[in-house]
Amino acid sequence: MALAPSPADIAAARDALAVADPALARAHAQMPPFEWRLRPGGFEGLFRMIVEQQVSVAAAASIWARVVAGLGEVTPQAVLALDVETLRSFGLSGQKARYGHEIARAQTDGLIDFDHLERLSDEEAIVRLTAIKGVGKWTAETFLMFCEGRLDVFPGGDVALQEAMRWADRADVRPNEKAAYARAEIWRPHRGVAAHLLWGWYGAVKRGEVVLEEAVPTAEAAPPRGRAAGGKKP
């Protein structure tokens, strides 16, 4: 079972990040302590992440409740026992229903072992996950962060993180995915904590709880539920 880092571990990581990279010191100073948002993992955790992407928080909760009720038990076998049209009747799009089948087959065919994914390195786990049709890199990375509690995974393609990085660096241009990964290298081995910190800072600024010294651009950055989806982070 995945374990979330303790508040003391997170606090120590934040202190280390602020020392290693003064650009993060402002976000660190402006944000209160936070807890790691650990979610259920395994097949169910990944399927749920796919179901919840690109819909509002309220819609995601409603659809997932219907999926659970319809399946009875969220297992690969239960998903594969139903055709796409039946899965769609629970509120899934046809695409998400097909992706549910793909994830279930990956488990039953032995292409991935969710019960022992922790044995793989971050890089190896991302390769295995993204080999499943419908699972992109962002989904794989956030699954490892939120469902497995991995501390050094950084979803560089997340636009909200890129925007918060721009604020931290007081830059005029938001870093692209490649630049974001490169920029985050200095945060190893605490890149997941840096992501949590930046997500929290981004949300606080957008809610008006934190005011940046410079004006926040009017153009909205996409929040982190999927790279172009609405809602809160997983």
Side-chain angles (χ1 to χ4, degrees):
M1 175 182 292
L3 297 175
S6 69
D9 290 338
I10 294 173
R14 285 181 57 166
D15 288 341
L17 286 165
V19 171
D21 187 354
L24 282 187
R26 179 171 48 150
H28 176 55
Q30 291 178 329
M31 294 306 299
F34 60 78
E35 294 183 358
W36 196 270
R37 299 189 181 185
L38 195 66
R39 293 165 50 114
F43 166 79
E44 180 177 350
L46 183 59
F47 183 34
R48 183 171 182 174
M49 289 190 75
I50 293 293
V51 169
E52 292 181 340
Q53 284 180 10
Q54 302 189 17
V55 296
S56 70
V57 174
S62 176
I63 294 170
W64 183 248
R66 291 170 63 187
V67 169
V68 173
L71 292 175
E73 184 180 10
V74 185
T75 64
Q77 293 76 16
V79 170
L80 291 173
L82 303 178
D83 59 23
V84 168
E85 289 307 311
T86 302
L87 292 174
R88 289 186 64 188
S89 72
F90 304 152
L92 300 180
S93 67
Q95 184 180 60
K96 289 184 178 181
R98 288 189 290 272
Y99 289 164
H101 277 175
E102 294 288 345
I103 298 168
R105 275 194 292 268
Q107 172 77 1
T108 59
D109 292 350
L111 299 179
I112 193 166
D113 182 1
F114 287 107
D115 295 330
H116 300 100
L117 199 61
E118 76 280 354
R119 296 176 180 176
L120 302 179
S121 68
D122 296 341
E123 293 75 16
E124 291 170 333
I126 289 169
V127 169
R128 291 288 184 91
L129 289 165
T130 54
I132 304 170
K133 186 175 181 180
V135 180
K137 191 173 183 181
W138 182 92
T139 301
E141 290 166 332
T142 53
F143 173 81
L144 294 176
M145 287 179 64
F146 292 111
C147 299
E148 291 216 330
R150 300 203 186 200
L151 300 183
D152 195 35
V153 178
F154 188 84
D158 189 282
V159 183
L161 285 183
Q162 293 170 3
E163 182 70 351
M165 293 168 78
R166 184 182 75 80
W167 299 343
D169 288 333
R170 293 181 168 86
D172 294 328
V173 179
R174 181 190 304 156
N176 60 21
E177 183 173 355
K178 182 178 180 180
Y181 282 122
R183 177 68 180 83
E185 281 297 308
I186 193 175
W187 302 333
R188 287 183 182 273
H190 308 298
R191 291 183 302 165
V193 175
H196 271 72
L197 176 62
L198 290 170
W199 268 326
W201 193 43
Y202 174 89
V205 170
K206 290 300 181 181
R207 291 189 299 270
E209 298 167 2
V210 170
V211 178
L212 300 179
E213 290 88 342
E214 62 273 21
V216 176
T218 56
E220 290 289 325
R225 178 185 291 280
R227 291 174 56 180
K232 298 178 182 178
K233 74 174 184 289

